[in-house]
Amino acid sequence: MNIEVKVPELPTGEKKGRIIKWHVKEGEFVKKGTSLCDIAVGKANVEVCAESDGIVDKIIVSAGSTVKAGDVISVISQVEKTSNEPISANAFIASTEMKEYDVAVIGGGPGGYVAAIKAAKMGARVALFEKDKLGGTCLNRGCIPTKAYARVAEVYDTIEKAGEFGFDVDISLFDYKKAVDRKNNIVKELVDGINMLVKSNGIDLYAVEAKIEKDKSVVFAEGKVKAKNIIIATGSSPADLPIEGIKSKNVINSDDILDITSLPESMCVIGGGVIGMEIAFIMHRFGVKVSVVEMMPNILPFLDKEVSDFIESEARKAGIKVYTSCKVERIMQEAGGGSIAVISENGEQRCIYADKVFVSIGRKLNTDIGPIAELLEFDGRAIKVDEHLRTNIDGVYAIGDVTNKMMLAHVASAQGEAAVENIFGGDAALDYMKIPAAVFTEPEIGYFGYTEEEARQKFDDVKIGKFYFAANGRAKTCGETKGFVKIIADKDNRIVGAWVSGGDASELSQNISVSCQCGVNASELKRAVYAHPTRSETIMEAVKDIFKESIHQL
């Protein structure tokens, strides 16, 4: 029986679209759910999938043609199922034949999907395996949804300060559900965009969990493939901590926190690191009473101490309760529905009541990748790689969290591109000390390189340049004068660390990082001319302060 494939209903208000790519050919067998083609409609893309198993008998409308809802664009000859095996609609590729690829990437997070696209653009035949959603933790349960909420908190703060700009605004009502919907829509649009990029680059996407055999074949539920080169990009997941009561119903981790559908009245955050403090500031701004428990003497313990002290001070001023040098002994379920976190400090115990307990400590590396793990060399928990991301097995590379270099999405992406370049005979390596990072607290932090404490231990002569946002014209006009820029240089004027905390800190630190990645030192950077009035002038002043030449401070 022949089945006509028709253009589905288009997004509201759109009458026509354009077929941008066919993913199948005439005579090809497809399974139900297989992506047949993509149609560009306005700023969106509509995916047309097979509604049953069959053979593509005819493609009626070619790529590049304009179509409207209801148009017949293809014909599929239906075939009867001859076995009792269930048909998988999850995998884009469901053929059981042994395929061979130039590159197989295990994991579709920010490292994996970037590596796959890079390899495809360089002419390789690529297979990408992802058991969940493309984009990985970063896009679906980390960076992007967190920053979507951080933006809501930022807008809330701006509205709250509207009076100083001459507006009388009532913000007594906050619809958290709308913030959740906005976050979900942002995530969906970005995930859809990555799916489109993967398909447009001719990558075979397997929506299954894959393992690697000792002979380097990649096995999965529907079959097996071979690849000349394999990139392991399986990421990390929340670790289970040995705390009594950690599995009780009110305890949530970083995979859960962004999917709660209603706000608790109170929350205890276990772990004052990057994730913990970002969530603490967001939830506080959403009206939740927040307490943070950190085992180390400072929150954000791996950051520059002056910066972490500043953020801790801002947290306390905002009303967030911070308990440092404290250990969580156990978590008890309350009969009334909440939980009590029992913490100890200098041998004394204290109880913190909270409706939700958010555990933001620890990530476990996802190195359970099959029998090949027995042959791989490890550096502690991490897969050991050289500077070119090569493992000890020829043709096997590892990138992202599993290498435990810098557990950041953009580092994984950069490693993915570097690994592919090296597969093609390149000599790419990353200088991790010049790669920037950001923390979206209030105010936010942007940084790279050594802390002041580390620099003073490592280098003979350290020079510090500093400038405060309170003396910056643009910061004053925006009403955002908190924070400072601190730049650390060695005796040869090489910038070995930069720390920014204030408005747009994540963007400002990028400017210094790029300069350093391009080999610019402090004596050269101080001659740069910056637009006025901009926050970037704080960088100019801080660099000049290294040489005691800052104009706008005493």
Side-chain angles (χ1 to χ4, degrees), residues 296-450:
M296 302 293 282
N298 299 87
I299 62 165
L300 302 169
F302 302 110
L303 272 57
D304 185 271
K305 189 174 184 304
E306 185 176 11
V307 172
S308 65
D309 285 346
F310 170 62
I311 296 299
E312 182 174 330
S313 173
E314 289 300 309
R316 293 182 187 277
K317 287 178 186 176
I320 297 171
K321 295 181 179 179
V322 180
Y323 302 91
T324 55
S325 299
C326 292
K327 179 182 178 182
V328 178
E329 299 290 347
R330 60 188 180 279
I331 302 168
M332 301 185 298
Q333 186 76 37
E334 272 279 273
S339 291
I340 293 177
V342 180
I343 66 175
S344 61
E345 179 182 10
N346 297 325
E348 297 184 4
Q349 289 194 340
R350 180 196 299 264
C351 294
I352 300 174
Y353 176 85
D355 295 306
K356 292 289 184 183
V357 177
F358 171 50
V359 179
S360 65
I361 303 173
R363 303 282 297 178
K364 62 181 178 181
L365 309 186
N366 297 333
T367 56
D368 181 17
I369 53 175
I372 200 171
E374 298 176 24
L375 305 179
L376 287 170
E377 289 184 8
F378 283 77
D379 184 3
R381 301 177 301 140
I383 297 175
K384 186 177 181 180
V385 293
D386 65 12
E387 63 177 335
H388 303 296
L389 291 315
R390 296 179 296 224
T391 69
N392 62 299
I393 302 175
D394 186 47
V396 178
Y397 296 72
I399 63 173
D401 287 2
V402 292
T403 68
N404 203 28
K405 298 293 185 184
M406 292 177 72
M407 295 175 71
L408 299 168
H410 54 284
V411 173
S413 296
Q415 287 178 323
E417 293 202 56
V420 171
E421 289 178 22
N422 295 332
I423 286 172
F424 280 82
D427 191 35
L430 302 181
D431 185 347
Y432 295 100
M433 294 308 296
K434 293 178 182 176
I435 297 177
V439 185
F440 291 82
T441 47
E442 292 183 25
E444 64 186 44
I445 305 165
Y447 68 95
F448 73 90
Y450 295 98

Side-chain angles (χ1 to χ4, degrees), residues 169-188:
V169 180
D170 179 13
I171 54 170
S172 58
L173 296 177
F174 169 55
D175 191 337
Y176 176 66
K177 185 179 181 302
K178 287 185 178 179
V180 174
D181 290 343
R182 177 179 182 271
K183 178 264 295 182
N184 290 339
N185 288 335
I186 291 170
V187 170
K188 183 181 184 302

Side-chain angles (χ1 to χ4, degrees), residues 84-130:
N84 293 322
E85 293 296 316
I87 295 174
S88 171
N90 293 327
F92 289 99
I93 305 296
S95 174
T96 57
E97 66 180 83
M98 174 72 84
K99 293 193 175 185
E100 295 188 5
Y101 295 92
D102 298 308
V103 179
V105 183
I106 316 301
Y113 85 76
V114 167
I117 292 172
K118 175 78 170 181
K121 287 183 178 294
M122 294 184 75
R125 188 181 186 196
V126 182
L128 175 61
F129 293 85
E130 172 53 54

Side-chain angles (χ1 to χ4, degrees), residues 212-280:
I212 309 170
E213 298 283 7
K214 290 181 180 180
D215 65 355
K216 296 197 306 183
S217 59
V218 181
V219 296
F220 52 99
E222 283 86 357
K224 177 189 294 189
V225 302
K226 295 286 289 184
K228 297 175 184 176
N229 299 279
I230 296 174
I231 299 176
I232 301 168
T234 44
S236 64
S237 52
D240 292 326
L241 299 178
I243 299 174
E244 181 184 342
I246 198 76
K247 295 292 187 179
S248 54
K249 71 173 186 178
N250 291 324
V251 180
I252 54 179
N253 61 29
S254 56
D255 279 356
D256 309 319
I257 183 71
L258 298 168
D259 287 329
I260 58 174
T261 55
S262 61
L263 291 170
E265 288 188 15
S266 57
M267 178 178 290
C268 177
V269 178
I270 299 178
V274 171
I275 298 172
M277 292 312 300
E278 286 186 346
I279 293 296

Side-chain angles (χ1 to χ4, degrees), residues 156-167:
Y156 193 107
D157 182 64
T158 300
I159 296 173
E160 195 173 52
K161 295 189 298 186
E164 67 181 84
F165 295 94
F167 296 95

